[in-house]
Amino acid sequence: MSDLQNQHGIERLAAHTTLRLGGPVGRFVRAAAPAEIVAAVRAEDEAEQPVLVLGGGSNLVVADAGFSGTVVALTPPAEPVRVEAGSHPGRVQVTVAAGVEWDALVAQAVAEGWVGIEALSGIPGTVGATPVQNVGAYGQEVAQTISAVRVWDRRERRELTVANDACGFGYRSSRFKAERYDDAGGRHTVLAVTFTFARGTTSAPVAYTELARTLGIELGATAPAAEVRAAVLGLRAGKGMVLDPGDHDTWSAGSFFTNPIVAPEALPAGAPSYPQPDGTVKTSAAWLIDRAGFAKGYRVESGRAGLSTKHTLALTNRGAASAEDLLALAREIRDGVRARFGITLVNEPVLLGCRL
Ligand code: EPU
């Protein structure tokens, strides 16, 4: 870590992001319990100082110039997970602090017999970040199991509980992502997330073709939840989507672009097509990038940033990249796809202090 911090001990965001990018921060504090998070954010807001609430840093691209405000880094509190016996015997309600590592919760859920997030195994980051972009993979998304989100409303300066149907969940989106406070952060700071899980050791119906095939079952069938977790971890590892410090293919922010949703007539011939309820179609950003001439492993001229050798949609730091190297790659790909197909890819990670 010494190469990521300067000799004066100033924190650099490169030490706290999975892309290992981002310059120095003004001030760095840690917060665990909801009251600590609220106090830290509130103090900065009242002083009109910019604040960045940082979870796992797995969905964040920070400029080389860094962030002059205060970073509030979330850590798990003393009581990270609270289980409430609900009125329904087949279900369990579990409230999890924002700073808990997401995959630790998934592992615990599978071990305890809480069903509904097993396909979300191996995703980096913290629990509090999951409602913000409605994290999803392999046929599940957190909107299916989240019953409520406890937040600090920075505009109204009060805590409130937002029920699932008021979260505005969509594909990789929510009101927590859409409603901004300033450039560095959303209006709502997530403090805790309440999930309602089915009880059992059998997974939810498997809704992703590649996962069903790996498990040797039909799409829509179930399997032991522990097997689903193992299969997802295997699939993700094969795509470089499980963090491994020794493997530059995993120095990414996961998928860099969302899968575009277009009118059926705008779909390029041969492109994957997932029909949406409203008549539009979702297509594959990875496919578009590949067909626009950017194969797995493609690099910018310096060689410092490039596409993962395992998945076209992951933009990666090959070890010595700057944020500018990575952004140059992202722009080249966005422009190349637009020129070839007339579709403009939209970044999925949050950009701090920089733009495409
Ligand atoms: N494809 C390619 N080249 C590749 C990879 C994929 O052409 O290198 C095409 C294929 O047609 C393939 C299709 O893309 O059938 C889908 O690929 P994949 O199953 O890998 O999914 P994805 O659409 O690329 C999405 C999510 C991932 C999530 C996976 C699995 C988005 C933006 N990404 O990726 O989420 O893990 O599905 O469910 O929705 C993330 O959000 O950071 C993320 C990693």
Side-chain angles (χ1 to χ4, degrees):
M1 188 166 283
S2 57
D3 59 325
L4 298 174
Q5 292 179 346
N6 73 18
Q7 67 266 44
H8 306 298
I10 292 172
E11 293 280 348
R12 300 180 66 81
L13 275 158
H16 300 278
T17 58
T18 54
L19 270 166
R20 274 82 161 176
L21 296 177
V25 308
R27 210 162 70 88
F28 190 92
V29 299
R30 291 185 197 277
E36 287 171 26
I37 303 170
V38 170
V41 172
R42 182 176 198 150
E44 301 304 321
D45 285 348
E46 283 174 356
E48 294 181 17
Q49 291 302 312
V51 54
L52 170 71
V53 177
L54 181 69
S58 57
N59 201 45
L60 187 61
V61 182
V62 186
D64 297 314
F67 177 66
S68 61
T70 295
V71 171
V72 178
L74 301 190
T75 57
E79 193 196 3
V81 177
R82 201 173 68 239
V83 183
E84 288 138 72
S87 48
H88 191 293
R91 291 195 207 117
V92 60
Q93 202 168 292
V94 179
T95 297
V96 188
V100 170
E101 193 196 328
W102 170 257
D103 197 51
L105 174 65
V106 180
Q108 182 177 356
V110 170
E112 305 260 9
W114 305 335
V115 177
I117 53 173
E118 55 282 348
L120 300 175
S121 292
I123 296 176
T126 49
V127 168
T130 61
V132 178
Q133 61 153 337
N134 184 17
V135 162
Y138 298 98
Q140 284 179 351
E141 54 184 28
V142 291
Q144 295 165 328
T145 41
I146 288 177
S147 38
V149 183
R150 184 78 179 162
V151 298
W152 169 249
D153 179 343
R154 297 169 67 193
R155 226 180 267 166
E156 303 285 335
R157 303 221 168 122
R158 65 185 178 112
E159 268 187 52
L160 73 156
T161 300
V162 184
N164 176 296
D165 59 4
C167 290
F169 286 129
Y171 165 63
R172 290 296 191 280
S173 68
S174 76
R175 66 179 290 198
F176 311 119
K177 182 170 174 177
E179 290 178 40
R180 310 302 302 163
Y181 184 80
D182 59 19
D183 288 347
R187 168 177 171 181
H188 300 96
T189 303
V190 176
L191 304 173
V193 183
T194 300
F195 298 85
T196 300
F197 299 123
R199 282 189 192 271
T201 52
T202 302
S203 73
V206 171
Y208 204 77
T209 307
E210 185 187 28
L211 178 57
R213 202 188 310 126
T214 305
L215 289 160
I217 61 173
E218 294 288 316
L219 191 64
T222 60
E227 284 179 25
V228 171
R229 172 164 170 80
V232 168
L233 288 174
L235 285 173
R236 291 190 68 94
K239 297 179 188 180
M241 295 288 184
V242 177
L243 297 184
D244 173 354
D247 180 357
H248 286 142
D249 278 336
T250 75
W251 290 32
S252 78
S255 298
F256 195 89
F257 297 104
T258 52
N259 287 324
I261 296 172
V262 298
E265 56 274 19
L267 191 71
S273 160
Y274 310 96
Q276 302 297 297
D278 65 355
T280 58
V281 289
K282 192 190 312 182
T283 188
S284 163
W287 187 93
L288 296 172
I289 293 167
D290 188 76
R291 299 306 159 100
F294 306 100
K296 294 185 181 89
Y298 176 84
R299 299 222 190 161
V300 289
E301 211 177 306
S302 70
R304 293 191 293 256
L307 298 183
S308 161
T309 69
K310 302 185 184 78
H311 199 297
T312 317
L313 198 44
L315 274 61
T316 61
N317 173 355
R318 307 314 298 182
S322 63
E324 253 327 299
D325 292 326
L326 192 94
L327 291 165
L329 173 67
R331 289 179 198 121
E332 193 182 340
I333 285 169
R334 179 202 55 194
D335 295 348
V337 167
R338 187 160 49 202
R340 175 80 177 78
F341 296 112
I343 294 174
T344 302
L345 296 178
V346 175
N347 56 290
E348 191 209 76
V350 172
L351 307 183
L352 182 62
C354 51
R355 53 181 59 228
L356 280 195

